[in-house]
Amino acid sequence: MLILVRHGQTDANARGLLLGRADPPLNQTGYHQACALAASLPKPDRIVSSPLTRARHTAAVLAGARPGVVDVDQVELDERWIEMDYGALDGRPASALDDGEWLTWREDPDFVPAGGESLTEVCARVHEACEELAEDAARRDVVVVSHVSPIKAAVTWALGVDHEVGWRMFLIDAAVCRIDTSGRVPLLLAFNGACSAGEANQLVGRRA
């Protein structure tokens, strides 16, 4: 099973700011969310993480690290799972863009925020990473701790749909998504699962 986990909350997330390559840590709520994830998910066979601190901290908790311990051997870092580069928009509120700019961003997957990265570029690197993990995830649980845009990109990969479908998804903090890669095509089993203890285990990871 390919299990995609969004990192826990940061202060910037709580304030509704665009958070790309800026690198704040989890806040207290985010740490508690990571602990709830660790309690609700089976101990993963393999953990892959974005290199950003908020993802690494979440992954470390899932790997069973002691409080205050971040870098553990069980966590693999993969740059392809890093958040979209928002360029000059990083750390700013969504209102920094006017309606026309938002429309352009939504309709043109090649649109690049000033100094940033396009949705096409995000999807290319994430889809490549998904293809590489698919065979392993067909045999055992592979957890990827990442961010909103890469996880949405992974879901579009699983569904075989165009990039712009990602704009119709909303991903909560510490959300869990599950993709079964054991069949002829990937199968999305769960999207936006909450991190409360026990809830994730109610999801059945098998094809009908």
Side-chain angles (χ1 to χ4, degrees), residues 75-148:
V75 177
E76 305 170 31
L77 301 183
D78 188 336
E79 291 278 350
R80 292 173 297 184
W81 291 100
I82 199 170
E83 180 59 290
M84 172 185 275
D85 188 347
Y86 290 123
L89 294 174
D90 209 341
R92 301 179 66 188
S95 58
L97 286 175
D98 62 32
D99 290 344
E101 290 170 316
W102 273 114
L103 183 62
T104 299
W105 203 351
R106 287 173 179 269
E107 293 186 346
D108 181 6
D110 294 317
F111 171 77
V112 179
E117 180 182 26
S118 72
L119 184 58
T120 297
E121 291 171 312
V122 174
C123 287
R125 58 178 165 85
V126 171
H127 289 189
E128 178 186 73
C130 288
E131 292 288 349
E132 289 185 13
L133 291 175
E135 184 176 351
D136 193 18
R139 301 190 303 266
R140 58 179 183 165
D141 287 340
V142 177
V143 169
V144 177
V145 183
S146 188
H147 312 267
V148 169

